[in-house]
Amino acid sequence: MNFIAKYFSELNTTELYEILQLRSEVFVVEQDCVYQDIDSKDQKALHVIGYKNNKIVAYTRIFKPGDYFDNASIGRVLVVASERKYGFGHDLMKASIIAINTHFKVTEITISAQKYLKKFYETHKFIQIGDEYLEDGIPHIRMDRL
């Protein structure tokens, strides 16, 4: 798995299309959740893209402090279903945390995590902050990494 980080203006049309297609595949179709994925936040984000054999199979978008939360943040975390068994989600989170440290020079990170992934994020030193809430009809929790 090879990871790169690109700002919106650096993405070519093929990359952008593949990213949006994967986000729709995972968050809308697989999770059966109707929501507005194209939310005008991509232009602010740094996009962390995981390639395997020249194909995008993992992705997050990250934000500097103040763009989404007070802290830097990671969102739209996805690994293609057929690739999840290889542990690429952990590699993706490590790459995203490193990208935040490198590009934004901070270590504090906030995420809005799907509740069922709490233990996954805890392995990356995130802790739950506050109570569960619904986001797009799915139980979520705020988690911080300090």
Side-chain angles (χ1 to χ4, degrees):
M1 176 78 56
N2 179 38
F3 290 97
I4 61 167
K6 290 185 172 188
Y7 286 100
F8 186 81
S9 62
E10 298 172 313
L11 296 171
N12 65 45
T13 54
T14 301
E15 289 169 322
L16 179 59
Y17 184 87
E18 287 180 35
I19 289 166
L20 295 174
Q21 184 179 38
L22 286 176
R23 286 181 5 194
S24 179
E25 178 183 311
V26 171
F27 300 120
V28 177
V29 177
E30 182 182 320
Q31 296 183 357
D32 193 25
C33 181
V34 177
Y35 79 109
Q36 184 61 48
D37 177 52
I38 300 173
D39 57 6
S40 298
K41 294 178 182 169
D42 289 312
Q43 293 88 331
K44 285 185 175 184
L46 181 63
H47 302 267
V48 178
I49 307 164
Y51 287 91
K52 179 180 175 186
N53 300 325
N54 296 317
K55 184 176 178 185
I56 298 174
V57 298
Y59 169 84
T60 64
R61 67 179 185 181
I62 62 177
F63 296 94
K64 69 181 185 300
D67 275 353
Y68 200 82
F69 292 104
D70 289 340
N71 295 328
S73 62
I74 302 171
R76 299 293 198 268
V77 179
L78 73 82
V79 175
V80 173
S82 61
E83 300 293 327
R84 292 179 192 150
K85 61 188 170 197
Y86 302 113
F88 293 145
H90 293 288
D91 297 334
L92 176 62
M93 285 303 295
K94 289 174 191 169
S96 298
I97 291 165
I98 289 168
I100 285 174
N101 297 158
T102 302
H103 289 270
F104 308 145
K105 309 292 187 226
V106 297
T107 57
E108 298 84 12
I109 303 169
T110 296
I111 59 174
S112 179
Q114 291 185 9
K115 187 178 178 188
Y116 84 96
L117 290 169
K118 179 181 178 189
K119 290 191 185 311
F120 169 80
Y121 289 116
E122 285 175 339
T123 66
H124 295 278
K125 301 182 182 172
F126 286 88
I127 57 169
Q128 181 174 343
I129 305 294
D131 297 324
E132 176 184 323
Y133 55 91
L134 287 179
E135 186 174 314
D136 300 314
I138 298 173
H140 279 70
I141 52 175
R142 176 184 169 151
M143 298 187 81
D144 284 0
R145 185 178 200 269
L146 304 173

